[in-house]
Amino acid sequence: MVEKVMSMTSAAKLVKDGMMLALGGNALHRSPVAFSRELARQGRRGLAAVGAAPGLATDLLCAAGAVDTVYFGFFGFENEYGLAAGFRKGCQEGRIQAIEGS
Amino acid sequence: MWGSDLVALRPEFYHVLESPFTGEKTVCVRALVPDYAVIHVQECDVYGNARILGPSYQDALLARAARKTIITTERLVGTYRLREEPKLTAVPHFLVEAVVLAPGGARPGICYPEYQQVDDAGMKAYLRAVKDGTLEQYLAAGEGRE
């Protein structure tokens, strides 16, 4: 087995413009938010995101303009936090193609 | 998929075939292959053997569907811990390209049992930044991070 521990900055650099990402977790549960923050800070563009119920980490990439296509079943935060705000805004502005598959 | 309009609406994803064995009509769904799955877990060793506590949702499947997986973890644990309960390893090391120690990495969301309530102030700050179009400043300020 090979040791693979690295910094958040280095791990986020593995993801290149235009790649397809599947961010884990569900809505506001175990969503890899810190990773998305770093990816957004690095200015990634043209990503596709996929998930059954993508969460905050995917929404943050939508809000940052990093994602242009989302494959999903349900995309929202639930409870008082409502719909996924960044995703919704991106769709309304025509920046994001929403491909619903459930 | 039977009964769903999606079969007709998205021919790029769905295709109806007859089973070569029984002749029964069967819906085939085209697979998406993500370049990376990115999964936040509670425990992982330095090799990428990752354990999820509580619900795992689709995460084990995402790691297997993707070409490679990046793990962010609340804690690095010794491999001996994972060997004690091998069936609890949700993502095995050979699927993983990177391991990042990221305590609080799911905030302002929840990561059971480390933090079990949504950070309300953090969520509101995020939603406000999205609404006001100030996400860049929000990210630069590192708001919501530990």
Side-chain angles (χ1 to χ4, degrees), chain A residues 4-6 19-20 22 24-25 28 30-31 33-34 37 41 59-60 81 89 102, chain B residues 35-38 40 46-47 55 59 93 96 99 105-106 110 120 126 130 138 143:
Chain A
K4 297 156 189 166
V5 178
M6 62 178 77
M19 280 188 168
M20 181 184 284
L28 295 179
R30 228 169 19 69
S31 188
V33 181
R37 284 178 189 277
R41 274 189 218 106
D59 192 68
L60 196 147
Y81 306 109
K89 195 174 181 184
S102 72
Chain B
D35 293 291
Y36 282 101
V38 185
H40 187 67
V46 295
Y47 308 111
D59 290 5
H93 67 96
V96 175
V99 176
I110 292 167
D120 184 61
Y126 170 72
V130 172
Y138 168 84
E143 213 170 332

PDB file of all heavy atoms in Angstrom, chain A residues 4-6 19-20 22 24-25 28 30-31 33-34 37 41 59-60 81 89 102, chain B residues 35-38 40 46-47 55 59 93 96 99 105-106 110 120 126 130 138 143:
ATOM      1  N   LYS A   4      -0.707   8.188   0.802  1.00  0.00           N
ATOM      2  CA  LYS A   4      -1.298   9.165  -0.130  1.00  0.00           C
ATOM      3  C   LYS A   4      -1.713  10.459   0.546  1.00  0.00           C
ATOM      4  O   LYS A   4      -2.495  11.226  -0.023  1.00  0.00           O
ATOM      5  CB  LYS A   4      -2.526   8.548  -0.809  1.00  0.00           C
ATOM      6  CG  LYS A   4      -2.193   7.343  -1.664  1.00  0.00           C
ATOM      7  CD  LYS A   4      -3.367   6.421  -1.836  1.00  0.00           C
ATOM      8  CE  LYS A   4      -2.934   5.132  -2.491  1.00  0.00           C
ATOM      9  NZ  LYS A   4      -3.951   4.084  -2.396  1.00  0.00           N
ATOM     10  N   VAL A   5      -1.221  10.705   1.745  1.00  0.00           N
ATOM     11  CA  VAL A   5      -1.646  11.919   2.445  1.00  0.00           C
ATOM     12  C   VAL A   5      -1.032  13.139   1.771  1.00  0.00           C
ATOM     13  O   VAL A   5       0.164  13.147   1.468  1.00  0.00           O
ATOM     14  CB  VAL A   5      -1.227  11.874   3.930  1.00  0.00           C
ATOM     15  CG1 VAL A   5      -1.634  13.160   4.639  1.00  0.00           C
ATOM     16  CG2 VAL A   5      -1.856  10.666   4.614  1.00  0.00           C
ATOM     17  N   MET A   6      -1.857  14.129   1.489  1.00  0.00           N
ATOM     18  CA  MET A   6      -1.364  15.373   0.880  1.00  0.00           C
ATOM     19  C   MET A   6      -2.206  16.544   1.377  1.00  0.00           C
ATOM     20  O   MET A   6      -3.208  16.347   2.059  1.00  0.00           O
ATOM     21  CB  MET A   6      -1.374  15.275  -0.648  1.00  0.00           C
ATOM     22  CG  MET A   6      -2.733  15.078  -1.277  1.00  0.00           C
ATOM     23  SD  MET A   6      -2.645  15.034  -3.097  1.00  0.00           S
ATOM     24  CE  MET A   6      -2.012  13.386  -3.395  1.00  0.00           C
ATOM     25  N   MET A  19     -13.507  18.330 -15.948  1.00  0.00           N
ATOM     26  CA  MET A  19     -13.697  16.963 -15.437  1.00  0.00           C
ATOM     27  C   MET A  19     -15.099  16.762 -14.860  1.00  0.00           C
ATOM     28  O   MET A  19     -15.813  17.714 -14.583  1.00  0.00           O
ATOM     29  CB  MET A  19     -12.664  16.653 -14.349  1.00  0.00           C
ATOM     30  CG  MET A  19     -11.302  16.274 -14.894  1.00  0.00           C
ATOM     31  SD  MET A  19     -10.232  15.695 -13.559  1.00  0.00           S
ATOM     32  CE  MET A  19      -8.893  14.985 -14.521  1.00  0.00           C
ATOM     33  N   MET A  20     -15.478  15.488 -14.693  1.00  0.00           N
ATOM     34  CA  MET A  20     -16.737  15.136 -14.025  1.00  0.00           C
ATOM     35  C   MET A  20     -16.436  14.685 -12.597  1.00  0.00           C
ATOM     36  O   MET A  20     -15.576  13.833 -12.379  1.00  0.00           O
ATOM     37  CB  MET A  20     -17.453  14.018 -14.779  1.00  0.00           C
ATOM     38  CG  MET A  20     -18.784  13.633 -14.134  1.00  0.00           C
ATOM     39  SD  MET A  20     -19.593  12.234 -14.947  1.00  0.00           S
ATOM     40  CE  MET A  20     -20.215  13.044 -16.412  1.00  0.00           C
ATOM     41  N   ALA A  22     -17.999  13.416  -8.718  1.00  0.00           N
ATOM     42  CA  ALA A  22     -19.090  12.893  -7.892  1.00  0.00           C
ATOM     43  C   ALA A  22     -18.737  13.228  -6.448  1.00  0.00           C
ATOM     44  O   ALA A  22     -17.843  12.602  -5.870  1.00  0.00           O
ATOM     45  CB  ALA A  22     -19.228  11.394  -8.084  1.00  0.00           C
ATOM     46  N   GLY A  24     -19.480  13.242  -2.560  1.00  0.00           N
ATOM     47  CA  GLY A  24     -20.245  12.328  -1.714  1.00  0.00           C
ATOM     48  C   GLY A  24     -21.119  13.026  -0.691  1.00  0.00           C
ATOM     49  O   GLY A  24     -21.288  14.249  -0.705  1.00  0.00           O
ATOM     50  N   GLY A  25     -21.688  12.221   0.199  1.00  0.00           N
ATOM     51  CA  GLY A  25     -22.593  12.739   1.211  1.00  0.00           C
ATOM     52  C   GLY A  25     -23.986  12.932   0.656  1.00  0.00           C
ATOM     53  O   GLY A  25     -24.306  12.439  -0.424  1.00  0.00           O
ATOM     54  N   LEU A  28     -26.941  18.178   3.417  1.00  0.00           N
ATOM     55  CA  LEU A  28     -26.031  18.828   4.372  1.00  0.00           C
ATOM     56  C   LEU A  28     -25.283  17.804   5.233  1.00  0.00           C
ATOM     57  O   LEU A  28     -24.711  18.149   6.266  1.00  0.00           O
ATOM     58  CB  LEU A  28     -26.811  19.802   5.265  1.00  0.00           C
ATOM     59  CG  LEU A  28     -27.422  21.008   4.528  1.00  0.00           C
ATOM     60  CD1 LEU A  28     -28.182  21.899   5.497  1.00  0.00           C
ATOM     61  CD2 LEU A  28     -26.358  21.802   3.798  1.00  0.00           C
ATOM     62  N   ARG A  30     -22.261  15.121   5.605  1.00  0.00           N
ATOM     63  CA  ARG A  30     -20.963  14.589   5.137  1.00  0.00           C
ATOM     64  C   ARG A  30     -20.635  15.053   3.716  1.00  0.00           C
ATOM     65  O   ARG A  30     -20.120  14.302   2.901  1.00  0.00           O
ATOM     66  CB  ARG A  30     -20.945  13.057   5.256  1.00  0.00           C
ATOM     67  CG  ARG A  30     -19.711  12.527   5.924  1.00  0.00           C
ATOM     68  CD  ARG A  30     -19.742  11.056   6.315  1.00  0.00           C
ATOM     69  NE  ARG A  30     -20.718  10.231   5.672  1.00  0.00           N
ATOM     70  CZ  ARG A  30     -20.696   9.889   4.387  1.00  0.00           C
ATOM     71  NH1 ARG A  30     -19.695  10.286   3.622  1.00  0.00           N
ATOM     72  NH2 ARG A  30     -21.641   9.147   3.883  1.00  0.00           N
ATOM     73  N   SER A  31     -20.936  16.295   3.425  1.00  0.00           N
ATOM     74  CA  SER A  31     -20.626  16.868   2.119  1.00  0.00           C
ATOM     75  C   SER A  31     -19.194  17.413   2.154  1.00  0.00           C
ATOM     76  O   SER A  31     -18.821  18.092   3.111  1.00  0.00           O
ATOM     77  CB  SER A  31     -21.632  18.001   1.835  1.00  0.00           C
ATOM     78  OG  SER A  31     -21.500  18.481   0.527  1.00  0.00           O
ATOM     79  N   VAL A  33     -17.272  19.866   1.818  1.00  0.00           N
ATOM     80  CA  VAL A  33     -17.345  21.316   1.619  1.00  0.00           C
ATOM     81  C   VAL A  33     -15.952  21.957   1.562  1.00  0.00           C
ATOM     82  O   VAL A  33     -15.679  22.809   0.710  1.00  0.00           O
ATOM     83  CB  VAL A  33     -18.185  21.968   2.751  1.00  0.00           C
ATOM     84  CG1 VAL A  33     -18.286  23.477   2.535  1.00  0.00           C
ATOM     85  CG2 VAL A  33     -19.572  21.349   2.810  1.00  0.00           C
ATOM     86  N   ALA A  34     -15.059  21.533   2.454  1.00  0.00           N
ATOM     87  CA  ALA A  34     -13.720  22.144   2.492  1.00  0.00           C
ATOM     88  C   ALA A  34     -13.000  21.916   1.168  1.00  0.00           C
ATOM     89  O   ALA A  34     -12.294  22.794   0.670  1.00  0.00           O
ATOM     90  CB  ALA A  34     -12.916  21.550   3.652  1.00  0.00           C
ATOM     91  N   ARG A  37     -14.459  24.344  -1.399  1.00  0.00           N
ATOM     92  CA  ARG A  37     -13.959  25.712  -1.164  1.00  0.00           C
ATOM     93  C   ARG A  37     -12.603  25.889  -1.824  1.00  0.00           C
ATOM     94  O   ARG A  37     -12.355  26.896  -2.488  1.00  0.00           O
ATOM     95  CB  ARG A  37     -13.798  25.960   0.342  1.00  0.00           C
ATOM     96  CG  ARG A  37     -15.080  26.201   1.088  1.00  0.00           C
ATOM     97  CD  ARG A  37     -14.743  26.366   2.573  1.00  0.00           C
ATOM     98  NE  ARG A  37     -15.943  26.380   3.358  1.00  0.00           N
ATOM     99  CZ  ARG A  37     -16.689  27.463   3.546  1.00  0.00           C
ATOM    100  NH1 ARG A  37     -16.323  28.608   3.023  1.00  0.00           N
ATOM    101  NH2 ARG A  37     -17.792  27.402   4.258  1.00  0.00           N
ATOM    102  N   ARG A  41     -11.623  28.289  -4.917  1.00  0.00           N
ATOM    103  CA  ARG A  41     -10.551  29.287  -4.778  1.00  0.00           C
ATOM    104  C   ARG A  41      -9.533  29.158  -5.897  1.00  0.00           C
ATOM    105  O   ARG A  41      -8.971  30.146  -6.355  1.00  0.00           O
ATOM    106  CB  ARG A  41      -9.834  29.104  -3.433  1.00  0.00           C
ATOM    107  CG  ARG A  41     -10.507  29.834  -2.299  1.00  0.00           C
ATOM    108  CD  ARG A  41      -9.613  29.790  -1.061  1.00  0.00           C
ATOM    109  NE  ARG A  41     -10.464  29.630   0.092  1.00  0.00           N
ATOM    110  CZ  ARG A  41     -10.599  28.522   0.797  1.00  0.00           C
ATOM    111  NH1 ARG A  41      -9.900  27.447   0.487  1.00  0.00           N
ATOM    112  NH2 ARG A  41     -11.419  28.467   1.812  1.00  0.00           N
ATOM    113  N   ASP A  59     -23.221  22.541  -4.495  1.00  0.00           N
ATOM    114  CA  ASP A  59     -23.878  23.846  -4.646  1.00  0.00           C
ATOM    115  C   ASP A  59     -22.852  24.975  -4.631  1.00  0.00           C
ATOM    116  O   ASP A  59     -22.973  25.943  -5.384  1.00  0.00           O
ATOM    117  CB  ASP A  59     -24.907  24.056  -3.532  1.00  0.00           C
ATOM    118  CG  ASP A  59     -25.791  25.247  -3.839  1.00  0.00           C
ATOM    119  OD1 ASP A  59     -26.576  25.156  -4.805  1.00  0.00           O
ATOM    120  OD2 ASP A  59     -25.673  26.274  -3.158  1.00  0.00           O
ATOM    121  N   LEU A  60     -21.857  24.829  -3.773  1.00  0.00           N
ATOM    122  CA  LEU A  60     -20.811  25.857  -3.690  1.00  0.00           C
ATOM    123  C   LEU A  60     -20.062  25.985  -5.020  1.00  0.00           C
ATOM    124  O   LEU A  60     -19.762  27.088  -5.468  1.00  0.00           O
ATOM    125  CB  LEU A  60     -19.862  25.481  -2.546  1.00  0.00           C
ATOM    126  CG  LEU A  60     -18.928  26.568  -2.035  1.00  0.00           C
ATOM    127  CD1 LEU A  60     -18.685  26.380  -0.543  1.00  0.00           C
ATOM    128  CD2 LEU A  60     -17.602  26.573  -2.763  1.00  0.00           C
ATOM    129  N   TYR A  81     -33.287  25.642   5.106  1.00  0.00           N
ATOM    130  CA  TYR A  81     -32.296  26.150   4.156  1.00  0.00           C
ATOM    131  C   TYR A  81     -32.740  26.015   2.703  1.00  0.00           C
ATOM    132  O   TYR A  81     -32.078  26.503   1.798  1.00  0.00           O
ATOM    133  CB  TYR A  81     -30.938  25.491   4.416  1.00  0.00           C
ATOM    134  CG  TYR A  81     -30.538  25.660   5.850  1.00  0.00           C
ATOM    135  CD1 TYR A  81     -30.536  24.591   6.731  1.00  0.00           C
ATOM    136  CD2 TYR A  81     -30.240  26.933   6.344  1.00  0.00           C
ATOM    137  CE1 TYR A  81     -30.222  24.774   8.063  1.00  0.00           C
ATOM    138  CE2 TYR A  81     -29.933  27.125   7.680  1.00  0.00           C
ATOM    139  CZ  TYR A  81     -29.922  26.033   8.541  1.00  0.00           C
ATOM    140  OH  TYR A  81     -29.624  26.216   9.860  1.00  0.00           O
ATOM    141  N   LYS A  89     -29.673  29.456  -8.797  1.00  0.00           N
ATOM    142  CA  LYS A  89     -29.272  30.718  -9.416  1.00  0.00           C
ATOM    143  C   LYS A  89     -28.581  30.452 -10.762  1.00  0.00           C
ATOM    144  O   LYS A  89     -28.852  31.127 -11.758  1.00  0.00           O
ATOM    145  CB  LYS A  89     -28.324  31.468  -8.466  1.00  0.00           C
ATOM    146  CG  LYS A  89     -28.128  32.932  -8.816  1.00  0.00           C
ATOM    147  CD  LYS A  89     -27.304  33.625  -7.730  1.00  0.00           C
ATOM    148  CE  LYS A  89     -27.128  35.092  -8.054  1.00  0.00           C
ATOM    149  NZ  LYS A  89     -26.261  35.761  -7.077  1.00  0.00           N
ATOM    150  N   SER A 102     -34.278  11.069 -12.145  1.00  0.00           N
ATOM    151  CA  SER A 102     -34.963  10.127 -11.247  1.00  0.00           C
ATOM    152  C   SER A 102     -36.457  10.194 -11.450  1.00  0.00           C
ATOM    153  O   SER A 102     -36.948  11.175 -11.985  1.00  0.00           O
ATOM    154  CB  SER A 102     -34.654  10.432  -9.792  1.00  0.00           C
ATOM    155  OG  SER A 102     -35.310  11.606  -9.384  1.00  0.00           O
TER     156      SER A 102
ATOM    157  N   ASP B  35     -14.595  11.476 -13.286  1.00  0.00           N
ATOM    158  CA  ASP B  35     -13.135  11.413 -13.210  1.00  0.00           C
ATOM    159  C   ASP B  35     -12.698  11.204 -11.765  1.00  0.00           C
ATOM    160  O   ASP B  35     -11.761  10.457 -11.498  1.00  0.00           O
ATOM    161  CB  ASP B  35     -12.532  12.704 -13.776  1.00  0.00           C
ATOM    162  CG  ASP B  35     -12.797  12.819 -15.265  1.00  0.00           C
ATOM    163  OD1 ASP B  35     -12.225  12.031 -16.024  1.00  0.00           O
ATOM    164  OD2 ASP B  35     -13.612  13.677 -15.670  1.00  0.00           O
ATOM    165  N   TYR B  36     -13.361  11.911 -10.843  1.00  0.00           N
ATOM    166  CA  TYR B  36     -13.060  11.730  -9.416  1.00  0.00           C
ATOM    167  C   TYR B  36     -14.336  11.645  -8.597  1.00  0.00           C
ATOM    168  O   TYR B  36     -15.283  12.408  -8.841  1.00  0.00           O
ATOM    169  CB  TYR B  36     -12.237  12.910  -8.869  1.00  0.00           C
ATOM    170  CG  TYR B  36     -10.781  12.857  -9.243  1.00  0.00           C
ATOM    171  CD1 TYR B  36     -10.284  13.644 -10.281  1.00  0.00           C
ATOM    172  CD2 TYR B  36      -9.898  12.018  -8.562  1.00  0.00           C
ATOM    173  CE1 TYR B  36      -8.941  13.595 -10.631  1.00  0.00           C
ATOM    174  CE2 TYR B  36      -8.561  11.967  -8.919  1.00  0.00           C
ATOM    175  CZ  TYR B  36      -8.088  12.749  -9.945  1.00  0.00           C
ATOM    176  OH  TYR B  36      -6.757  12.689 -10.290  1.00  0.00           O
ATOM    177  N   ALA B  37     -14.350  10.745  -7.638  1.00  0.00           N
ATOM    178  CA  ALA B  37     -15.305  10.830  -6.535  1.00  0.00           C
ATOM    179  C   ALA B  37     -14.566  11.526  -5.399  1.00  0.00           C
ATOM    180  O   ALA B  37     -13.369  11.272  -5.188  1.00  0.00           O
ATOM    181  CB  ALA B  37     -15.762   9.446  -6.097  1.00  0.00           C
ATOM    182  N   VAL B  38     -15.234  12.429  -4.698  1.00  0.00           N
ATOM    183  CA  VAL B  38     -14.638  13.105  -3.545  1.00  0.00           C
ATOM    184  C   VAL B  38     -15.535  12.829  -2.349  1.00  0.00           C
ATOM    185  O   VAL B  38     -16.716  13.194  -2.358  1.00  0.00           O
ATOM    186  CB  VAL B  38     -14.509  14.624  -3.774  1.00  0.00           C
ATOM    187  CG1 VAL B  38     -13.782  15.276  -2.600  1.00  0.00           C
ATOM    188  CG2 VAL B  38     -13.770  14.918  -5.076  1.00  0.00           C
ATOM    189  N   HIS B  40     -16.075  12.727   1.911  1.00  0.00           N
ATOM    190  CA  HIS B  40     -15.637  13.117   3.252  1.00  0.00           C
ATOM    191  C   HIS B  40     -16.051  12.024   4.243  1.00  0.00           C
ATOM    192  O   HIS B  40     -17.216  11.645   4.301  1.00  0.00           O
ATOM    193  CB  HIS B  40     -16.259  14.453   3.658  1.00  0.00           C
ATOM    194  CG  HIS B  40     -15.724  14.971   4.951  1.00  0.00           C
ATOM    195  ND1 HIS B  40     -14.418  15.396   5.110  1.00  0.00           N
ATOM    196  CD2 HIS B  40     -16.303  15.089   6.171  1.00  0.00           C
ATOM    197  CE1 HIS B  40     -14.222  15.769   6.364  1.00  0.00           C
ATOM    198  NE2 HIS B  40     -15.349  15.594   7.032  1.00  0.00           N
ATOM    199  N   VAL B  46      -3.512   6.259   6.234  1.00  0.00           N
ATOM    200  CA  VAL B  46      -2.669   7.022   5.302  1.00  0.00           C
ATOM    201  C   VAL B  46      -2.685   6.424   3.893  1.00  0.00           C
ATOM    202  O   VAL B  46      -2.265   7.070   2.936  1.00  0.00           O
ATOM    203  CB  VAL B  46      -1.202   7.127   5.794  1.00  0.00           C
ATOM    204  CG1 VAL B  46      -1.138   7.939   7.078  1.00  0.00           C
ATOM    205  CG2 VAL B  46      -0.573   5.753   5.948  1.00  0.00           C
ATOM    206  N   TYR B  47      -3.191   5.209   3.763  1.00  0.00           N
ATOM    207  CA  TYR B  47      -3.223   4.542   2.456  1.00  0.00           C
ATOM    208  C   TYR B  47      -4.551   4.773   1.716  1.00  0.00           C
ATOM    209  O   TYR B  47      -4.670   4.422   0.552  1.00  0.00           O
ATOM    210  CB  TYR B  47      -3.006   3.038   2.631  1.00  0.00           C
ATOM    211  CG  TYR B  47      -1.783   2.722   3.445  1.00  0.00           C
ATOM    212  CD1 TYR B  47      -1.892   2.176   4.730  1.00  0.00           C
ATOM    213  CD2 TYR B  47      -0.507   2.993   2.942  1.00  0.00           C
ATOM    214  CE1 TYR B  47      -0.759   1.896   5.485  1.00  0.00           C
ATOM    215  CE2 TYR B  47       0.624   2.718   3.698  1.00  0.00           C
ATOM    216  CZ  TYR B  47       0.492   2.177   4.969  1.00  0.00           C
ATOM    217  OH  TYR B  47       1.608   1.918   5.706  1.00  0.00           O
ATOM    218  N   PRO B  55     -24.924   6.785   8.082  1.00  0.00           N
ATOM    219  CA  PRO B  55     -25.353   6.471   6.710  1.00  0.00           C
ATOM    220  C   PRO B  55     -24.245   6.724   5.695  1.00  0.00           C
ATOM    221  O   PRO B  55     -23.541   7.733   5.775  1.00  0.00           O
ATOM    222  CB  PRO B  55     -26.511   7.452   6.460  1.00  0.00           C
ATOM    223  CG  PRO B  55     -26.906   7.961   7.803  1.00  0.00           C
ATOM    224  CD  PRO B  55     -25.717   7.853   8.690  1.00  0.00           C
ATOM    225  N   ASP B  59     -22.034   6.621  -1.351  1.00  0.00           N
ATOM    226  CA  ASP B  59     -20.608   6.933  -1.457  1.00  0.00           C
ATOM    227  C   ASP B  59     -19.732   5.754  -1.871  1.00  0.00           C
ATOM    228  O   ASP B  59     -18.765   5.929  -2.621  1.00  0.00           O
ATOM    229  CB  ASP B  59     -20.113   7.540  -0.140  1.00  0.00           C
ATOM    230  CG  ASP B  59     -20.685   8.939   0.064  1.00  0.00           C
ATOM    231  OD1 ASP B  59     -21.514   9.373  -0.753  1.00  0.00           O
ATOM    232  OD2 ASP B  59     -20.295   9.595   1.043  1.00  0.00           O
ATOM    233  N   HIS B  93      -8.216   1.091  -0.229  1.00  0.00           N
ATOM    234  CA  HIS B  93      -7.084   1.948  -0.625  1.00  0.00           C
ATOM    235  C   HIS B  93      -6.836   1.999  -2.126  1.00  0.00           C
ATOM    236  O   HIS B  93      -6.435   3.022  -2.658  1.00  0.00           O
ATOM    237  CB  HIS B  93      -5.820   1.480   0.097  1.00  0.00           C
ATOM    238  CG  HIS B  93      -5.352   0.119  -0.358  1.00  0.00           C
ATOM    239  ND1 HIS B  93      -4.391  -0.029  -1.313  1.00  0.00           N
ATOM    240  CD2 HIS B  93      -5.752  -1.129  -0.024  1.00  0.00           C
ATOM    241  CE1 HIS B  93      -4.196  -1.327  -1.531  1.00  0.00           C
ATOM    242  NE2 HIS B  93      -5.023  -2.009  -0.758  1.00  0.00           N
ATOM    243  N   VAL B  96      -8.219   4.808  -4.194  1.00  0.00           N
ATOM    244  CA  VAL B  96      -7.974   6.165  -3.679  1.00  0.00           C
ATOM    245  C   VAL B  96      -6.645   6.732  -4.179  1.00  0.00           C
ATOM    246  O   VAL B  96      -5.620   6.037  -4.149  1.00  0.00           O
ATOM    247  CB  VAL B  96      -7.997   6.147  -2.133  1.00  0.00           C
ATOM    248  CG1 VAL B  96      -7.623   7.506  -1.556  1.00  0.00           C
ATOM    249  CG2 VAL B  96      -9.374   5.712  -1.649  1.00  0.00           C
ATOM    250  N   VAL B  99      -5.423  11.366   0.097  1.00  0.00           N
ATOM    251  CA  VAL B  99      -6.056  11.435   1.416  1.00  0.00           C
ATOM    252  C   VAL B  99      -5.712  12.797   2.013  1.00  0.00           C
ATOM    253  O   VAL B  99      -4.531  13.165   2.064  1.00  0.00           O
ATOM    254  CB  VAL B  99      -5.535  10.327   2.351  1.00  0.00           C
ATOM    255  CG1 VAL B  99      -6.131  10.467   3.751  1.00  0.00           C
ATOM    256  CG2 VAL B  99      -5.830   8.945   1.782  1.00  0.00           C
ATOM    257  N   GLY B 105     -14.353  19.306   7.839  1.00  0.00           N
ATOM    258  CA  GLY B 105     -14.404  19.446   6.389  1.00  0.00           C
ATOM    259  C   GLY B 105     -15.796  19.440   5.781  1.00  0.00           C
ATOM    260  O   GLY B 105     -15.931  19.717   4.598  1.00  0.00           O
ATOM    261  N   ALA B 106     -16.813  19.115   6.563  1.00  0.00           N
ATOM    262  CA  ALA B 106     -18.188  19.134   6.040  1.00  0.00           C
ATOM    263  C   ALA B 106     -18.973  20.341   6.566  1.00  0.00           C
ATOM    264  O   ALA B 106     -20.153  20.493   6.268  1.00  0.00           O
ATOM    265  CB  ALA B 106     -18.920  17.850   6.405  1.00  0.00           C
ATOM    266  N   ILE B 110     -23.258  18.777   8.439  1.00  0.00           N
ATOM    267  CA  ILE B 110     -23.147  17.826   9.543  1.00  0.00           C
ATOM    268  C   ILE B 110     -22.186  16.702   9.191  1.00  0.00           C
ATOM    269  O   ILE B 110     -22.131  16.277   8.044  1.00  0.00           O
ATOM    270  CB  ILE B 110     -24.554  17.219   9.818  1.00  0.00           C
ATOM    271  CG1 ILE B 110     -25.495  18.290  10.374  1.00  0.00           C
ATOM    272  CG2 ILE B 110     -24.472  16.012  10.735  1.00  0.00           C
ATOM    273  CD1 ILE B 110     -26.951  17.876  10.369  1.00  0.00           C
ATOM    274  N   ASP B 120     -25.854  26.988  11.851  1.00  0.00           N
ATOM    275  CA  ASP B 120     -26.875  27.880  11.294  1.00  0.00           C
ATOM    276  C   ASP B 120     -26.274  29.192  10.797  1.00  0.00           C
ATOM    277  O   ASP B 120     -26.583  29.650   9.688  1.00  0.00           O
ATOM    278  CB  ASP B 120     -27.942  28.145  12.365  1.00  0.00           C
ATOM    279  CG  ASP B 120     -29.085  28.985  11.816  1.00  0.00           C
ATOM    280  OD1 ASP B 120     -29.755  28.525  10.873  1.00  0.00           O
ATOM    281  OD2 ASP B 120     -29.275  30.114  12.309  1.00  0.00           O
ATOM    282  N   TYR B 126     -23.385  31.602   4.051  1.00  0.00           N
ATOM    283  CA  TYR B 126     -23.223  31.060   2.694  1.00  0.00           C
ATOM    284  C   TYR B 126     -24.378  31.495   1.791  1.00  0.00           C
ATOM    285  O   TYR B 126     -24.167  32.005   0.685  1.00  0.00           O
ATOM    286  CB  TYR B 126     -23.134  29.531   2.745  1.00  0.00           C
ATOM    287  CG  TYR B 126     -23.212  28.909   1.374  1.00  0.00           C
ATOM    288  CD1 TYR B 126     -22.151  29.017   0.467  1.00  0.00           C
ATOM    289  CD2 TYR B 126     -24.368  28.243   0.944  1.00  0.00           C
ATOM    290  CE1 TYR B 126     -22.230  28.480  -0.803  1.00  0.00           C
ATOM    291  CE2 TYR B 126     -24.456  27.703  -0.324  1.00  0.00           C
ATOM    292  CZ  TYR B 126     -23.386  27.821  -1.195  1.00  0.00           C
ATOM    293  OH  TYR B 126     -23.476  27.296  -2.456  1.00  0.00           O
ATOM    294  N   VAL B 130     -24.345  33.795  -1.652  1.00  0.00           N
ATOM    295  CA  VAL B 130     -24.875  33.362  -2.956  1.00  0.00           C
ATOM    296  C   VAL B 130     -25.874  34.400  -3.470  1.00  0.00           C
ATOM    297  O   VAL B 130     -25.804  34.832  -4.624  1.00  0.00           O
ATOM    298  CB  VAL B 130     -25.556  31.979  -2.843  1.00  0.00           C
ATOM    299  CG1 VAL B 130     -26.279  31.626  -4.152  1.00  0.00           C
ATOM    300  CG2 VAL B 130     -24.525  30.905  -2.512  1.00  0.00           C
ATOM    301  N   TYR B 138     -16.582  35.792   0.297  1.00  0.00           N
ATOM    302  CA  TYR B 138     -16.909  34.752   1.287  1.00  0.00           C
ATOM    303  C   TYR B 138     -15.806  33.695   1.315  1.00  0.00           C
ATOM    304  O   TYR B 138     -15.348  33.287   2.384  1.00  0.00           O
ATOM    305  CB  TYR B 138     -18.276  34.145   0.925  1.00  0.00           C
ATOM    306  CG  TYR B 138     -18.634  32.886   1.652  1.00  0.00           C
ATOM    307  CD1 TYR B 138     -19.213  32.923   2.920  1.00  0.00           C
ATOM    308  CD2 TYR B 138     -18.430  31.641   1.057  1.00  0.00           C
ATOM    309  CE1 TYR B 138     -19.563  31.760   3.583  1.00  0.00           C
ATOM    310  CE2 TYR B 138     -18.784  30.476   1.711  1.00  0.00           C
ATOM    311  CZ  TYR B 138     -19.342  30.533   2.970  1.00  0.00           C
ATOM    312  OH  TYR B 138     -19.683  29.383   3.609  1.00  0.00           O
ATOM    313  N   GLU B 143     -14.824  32.068   5.580  1.00  0.00           N
ATOM    314  CA  GLU B 143     -15.960  32.007   6.504  1.00  0.00           C
ATOM    315  C   GLU B 143     -16.503  30.572   6.591  1.00  0.00           C
ATOM    316  O   GLU B 143     -16.604  29.881   5.592  1.00  0.00           O
ATOM    317  CB  GLU B 143     -17.075  32.932   6.024  1.00  0.00           C
ATOM    318  CG  GLU B 143     -17.853  33.538   7.162  1.00  0.00           C
ATOM    319  CD  GLU B 143     -18.777  34.638   6.667  1.00  0.00           C
ATOM    320  OE1 GLU B 143     -18.472  35.263   5.647  1.00  0.00           O
ATOM    321  OE2 GLU B 143     -19.791  34.842   7.315  1.00  0.00           O
TER     322      GLU B 143
END
